[in-house]
Amino acid sequence: MTEIGEAALWLGLFTALYAAVTAFSGARKTEDPKGERLLASARNGVFVLAGLLTLAVSLLTLAFLTHDFSIAYVARNHSRSTPPLYTLTGLWGGQAGSLLVWTWLLSLYSAAFTLRRDGKDRQLVYPAIGVLMGMSVFFLLILISVENPFARLPNPPADGRGLNPLLEDPGMLIHPPLLYLGYIGFAVPYAIGMAALMATRTDPQWIRVARPWAMVAWISLGTGMVAGGWWAYRTLGWGGYWGWDPVENSALMPWLVGTAYLHSAMVQERRGMLAAWNVALIILTFSLAILGTFLTRTGIVLSVHSFAQSAIGPYFVSFLGILFVGSFGLFLWRLEDLRSHAELESLASRECAFLLNNVLFLGMAFAVLLGTLFPILSEALQGSRISVGAPYYIQVIAPFGLLLILLMGFGHVLAWRRTPFQDLLVKLRWPVAAGFVALIALFVLLRRPLVVLALATVSFALGTVVQEYHGAASRRSRVTGESYLPALWRAVLRHRRRYGGYLAHAAFLIMVVGIIGSHAYVTERQATLSPAGSLQVGRYTLIYRAMEQARTDTSEGVAAVVEVQGDGGNFLMRPKRMFYPSFQQFLSKPAVHSSWREDLYVVLENVSPEGKATFRIWINPLVRWIWLGGLIFLFGSGFAAWPEARSMEKRWEGDTIQPSAATD
């Protein structure tokens, strides 16, 4: 099995190298019959590579399923007692396996792109294939020379060490694959952008070709971050879902810049503006994705999420350097061809809103990057590592977020080119009223100016979303005579990009409400209780009743039986403290009682020989709204990414009156 797996990797390396060379060569000879043969051969090479890597992944999966501990990677990340549900989690639970999955997904993306675009936009497709195959060569070199997932042990053990205890959770079945799909997915629009520069195709067509791939990557990365927050909240036992951990930040940065790219790409599609800006943004997005991978896999930053220190660091630094210097070198070479003759006509326009939007997203990404790399920079300059914590990020990011929400509301009502002042006043009338009413009501209830200001801004932006949906239904109803709900449904279906974008914006606003509530009004207590001892936390009375033994196939420990009395009735919670012998590690498994109002979050931190238990308790308001917003984001952005029912040129007149920040 190992010999076949290693052979598949070696053959994949030669195939990727061959496909890269033939794709670039054939792209220069498109009018020559020899060029046609080269292009066809390059396409076949992409499919062969995908098949070889699928074989390699299948063989490693089979090794996990058959407990083949002669393979070092399987022995380190699997055991006979690993729960069947998490057997495959070991596939990406370690360095070598996750890199194999990464390379495999890159080959599948490449094959899907090659298959779907065959015969169309040849000047873009084949150079892009060459770029993608060049990336595959890099990752295959690492797999073969540094992190071989099929390396054998001279003396195989009877049983393996098992899966990292933190990965024995349903969240780990979806969180890493989604992040991989996001990180790797941005390789395709990046490759298309590079192909556009190579072929001097600076018209908006490359944006149209790249858009679906960028949307898939953006949705995957965003959903993966939400899934990661859900996993951290339920597993790590520190009472939160986002700790500004360096590896969390490594996913956030490309997502922020990718969001800026997706918005400004609309300007190039519609007005032919921002061509150079869009190429720079997609280079930055993919570069940050590679930087995040480097930070995750080299152990250069301390993180609960990261892999152990590895020898792949110099490889990734070299790749990132070549990527960054080569991409921006090509960008500067073609800069004159990227200049647009279209100009910004008014500050009260969609184009201006998108430019400001881009500045804010890039500012946020830079602030996160600075905080993430600060320990490395401080060590290089001062000889000691100094980390920045959550207060830095909150103080810096919160103003950016508030301005983005405000700009989102204005962006929904601004038209392309210019918006007459009188029209702007009419469109803002009801959303501003909603924000003002929320401001007064929330100030009376909460009396915390910053929180009230943030929530009032959310109300204003959400009001513009509601107004846009209502306007679409009303206009169509007047034109077609349909009743309100059928008119709304058909208007939304006919303009998926626009109203799917609105829904994604609404999802973001819902998540912001949950984030504000869970940060501004969190309650935290710690106490050591004897059996029958009680503790009052907020509106809950917690009574420590007993200690029970708890055991799984891979761990043993105790569970505290805690009776909770509150105005919502009585119920029991069982936080656990587990020991994992294979890793000589204790973990606290929190118990969470969730409602739409708040979560009661209980962690068993320690148990004394006398039977006393130390608990840490949080009351986290509105956390469930974050997960709800994540689900709506997935649906709304997926809806926006779905192909339109008709072309942009065939819009019915009523819908063109009310443009949106998500429109095409």
Side-chain angles (χ1 to χ4, degrees):
M1 183 185 299
T2 56
E3 291 80 3
I4 298 175
E6 289 181 334
L9 296 181
W10 276 103
L11 288 172
L13 174 63
F14 293 126
T15 301
L17 186 60
Y18 172 80
V21 172
T22 53
F24 284 128
S25 301
R28 299 176 60 183
K29 304 174 182 178
T30 53
E31 304 302 325
D32 189 330
K34 184 179 179 180
E36 289 289 339
R37 292 193 294 271
L38 287 172
L39 295 178
S41 186
R43 290 182 65 252
N44 292 335
V46 173
F47 299 134
V48 170
L49 175 63
L52 288 169
L53 289 176
T54 300
L55 173 62
V57 170
S58 300
L59 290 172
L60 190 59
T61 302
L62 182 62
F64 274 95
L65 295 174
T66 58
H67 313 301
D68 186 354
F69 300 118
S70 67
I71 299 177
Y73 182 75
V74 177
R76 286 195 301 267
N77 296 279
H78 182 62
S79 70
R80 298 183 187 277
S81 58
T82 299
L85 180 63
Y86 305 120
T87 296
L88 292 183
T89 308
L91 193 62
W92 50 78
Q95 184 79 274
S98 64
L99 282 171
L100 176 60
V101 171
W102 173 289
T103 312
W104 173 56
L105 291 175
L106 176 59
S107 74
L108 295 182
Y109 266 119
S110 303
F113 172 71
T114 303
L115 181 65
R116 188 163 183 80
R117 303 303 305 182
D118 180 37
K120 301 178 182 178
D121 305 303
R122 178 171 296 183
Q123 287 181 309
L124 295 175
V125 171
Y126 288 100
I129 290 174
V131 173
L132 292 169
M133 291 297 98
M135 295 179 197
S136 298
V137 169
F138 165 73
F139 287 107
L140 283 163
L141 280 172
I142 290 182
L143 286 170
I144 290 170
S145 60
V146 184
E147 291 287 349
N148 184 357
F150 296 101
R152 297 183 66 87
L153 291 172
N155 300 302
D159 199 0
R161 183 179 63 166
L163 188 65
N164 186 322
L166 291 174
L167 304 183
E168 290 187 9
D169 184 87
M172 284 297 105
L173 296 173
I174 56 175
H175 169 52
L178 284 171
L179 289 186
Y180 293 160
L181 286 169
Y183 281 133
I184 305 161
F186 278 120
V188 178
Y190 163 78
I192 296 169
M194 293 302 97
L197 292 180
M198 293 176 197
T200 324
R201 286 285 303 275
T202 56
D203 58 278
Q205 181 59 18
W206 83 267
I207 291 286
R208 299 187 184 100
V209 175
R211 181 183 180 273
W213 306 98
M215 283 294 293
V216 168
W218 181 75
I219 293 169
S220 299
L221 195 56
T223 308
M225 286 190 293
V226 176
W230 178 70
W231 164 77
Y233 189 66
R234 297 171 53 258
T235 304
L236 299 183
W238 60 277
Y241 45 83
W242 187 271
W244 297 103
D245 179 274
V247 177
E248 294 171 340
N249 296 346
S250 297
L252 178 62
M253 290 184 290
W255 188 84
L256 289 172
V257 182
T259 306
Y261 163 76
L262 286 170
H263 282 79
S264 65
M266 300 176 199
V267 180
Q268 187 176 355
E269 278 190 274
R270 184 67 177 254
R271 295 289 318 281
M273 299 170 61
L274 305 183
W277 185 245
N278 286 325
V279 174
L281 284 177
I282 200 59
I283 293 173
L284 282 175
T285 300
F286 187 61
S287 297
L288 286 170
I290 296 299
L291 176 64
T293 308
F294 165 71
L295 295 176
T296 305
R297 299 177 183 286
T298 58
I300 196 171
V301 293
L302 298 178
S303 167
V304 70
H305 305 74
S306 62
F307 295 95
Q309 291 192 355
S310 169
I312 68 173
Y315 290 84
F316 265 94
V317 169
S318 301
F319 180 64
L320 184 59
I322 294 171
L323 172 73
F324 196 81
V325 174
S327 299
F328 275 104
L330 182 59
F331 170 75
L332 293 174
W333 185 35
R334 298 293 195 193
L335 185 58
E336 191 60 35
D337 298 313
L338 292 169
R339 299 191 186 280
S340 171
H341 298 293
E343 296 181 352
L344 187 66
E345 298 181 15
S346 171
L347 294 178
S349 65
R350 182 70 51 77
E351 299 92 311
C352 183
F354 280 178
L355 278 173
L356 293 174
N357 168 294
N358 277 206
V359 170
L360 292 173
F361 275 118
L362 287 176
M364 292 176 72
F366 177 76
V368 175
L369 177 63
L370 181 62
T372 303
L373 297 181
F374 193 80
I376 303 172
L377 297 175
S378 66
E379 185 176 35
L381 296 175
Q382 300 179 1
S384 61
R385 287 204 166 208
I386 302 174
S387 299
V388 298
Y392 158 80
Y393 293 103
I394 294 172
Q395 291 173 14
V396 174
I397 299 299
F400 281 106
L402 187 63
L403 289 173
L404 272 172
I405 294 169
L406 187 64
L407 186 61
M408 179 189 297
F410 278 99
H412 291 155
V413 299
L414 290 172
W416 293 103
R417 298 181 182 274
R418 61 169 51 88
T419 307
F421 182 70
Q422 189 63 35
D423 289 353
L424 187 60
L425 290 179
V426 170
K427 294 175 183 179
L428 289 175
R429 179 180 50 190
W430 291 112
V432 169
F436 183 74
V437 170
L439 182 71
I440 300 302
L442 290 170
F443 185 78
V444 172
L445 293 172
L446 304 179
R447 295 188 178 277
R448 294 183 61 174
L450 293 179
V451 172
V452 170
L453 178 63
L455 292 176
T457 307
V458 169
S459 300
F460 161 71
L462 194 58
T464 62
V465 172
V466 173
Q467 177 176 270
E468 291 300 302
Y469 274 103
H470 173 70
S474 299
R475 292 191 303 275
R476 184 178 178 92
S477 182
R478 288 196 303 268
V479 172
T480 65
E482 298 169 320
S483 58
Y484 185 87
L485 289 179
L488 174 63
W489 176 246
R490 291 188 175 90
V492 169
L493 284 181
R494 289 172 67 88
H495 297 273
R496 292 190 179 98
R497 285 181 65 172
R498 178 185 303 181
Y499 296 107
Y502 283 150
L503 195 56
H505 286 179
F508 171 73
L509 296 172
I510 291 171
M511 294 180 72
V512 168
V513 171
I515 292 168
I516 292 172
S518 59
H519 278 81
Y521 295 97
V522 61
T523 301
E524 181 180 355
R525 290 284 303 276
Q526 184 178 17
T528 299
L529 301 177
S530 300
S534 64
L535 173 69
Q536 185 73 32
V537 184
R539 62 194 184 99
Y540 301 101
T541 300
L542 285 75
I543 306 171
Y544 168 34
R545 291 300 186 190
M547 192 69 67
E548 299 177 342
Q549 294 297 311
R551 182 182 296 273
T552 70
D553 291 337
T554 57
S555 64
E556 56 186 21
V558 292
V561 181
V562 179
E563 180 184 349
V564 181
Q565 300 174 354
D567 55 18
N570 293 2
F571 51 90
L572 295 178
M573 300 180 71
R574 288 181 168 83
K576 298 177 181 178
R577 180 77 171 166
M578 307 300 292
F579 177 69
Y580 292 81
S582 296
F583 289 81
Q584 292 296 298
Q585 182 178 0
F586 281 97
L587 286 180
S588 293
K589 297 285 188 179
V592 184
H593 179 77
S594 183
S595 69
W596 290 109
R597 176 178 174 176
E598 63 195 12
D599 285 6
L600 177 62
Y601 190 103
V602 182
V603 175
L604 176 62
E605 290 194 326
N606 192 28
V607 180
S608 71
E610 297 80 20
K612 292 184 178 181
T614 300
F615 297 96
R616 189 177 291 272
I617 302 102
W618 287 265
I619 298 177
N620 297 321
L622 306 181
V623 171
R624 186 178 281 189
W625 292 88
I626 299 173
W627 317 137
L628 173 65
L631 291 173
I632 296 174
F633 165 81
L634 176 60
F635 177 79
S637 52
F639 191 77
W642 200 261
E644 292 260 344
R646 54 185 179 75
S647 68
M648 184 173 66
E649 291 76 18
K650 295 182 179 179
R651 290 189 179 126
W652 60 290
E653 183 178 356
D655 271 353
T656 60
I657 299 173
Q658 300 281 352
S660 78
T663 187
D664 52 359

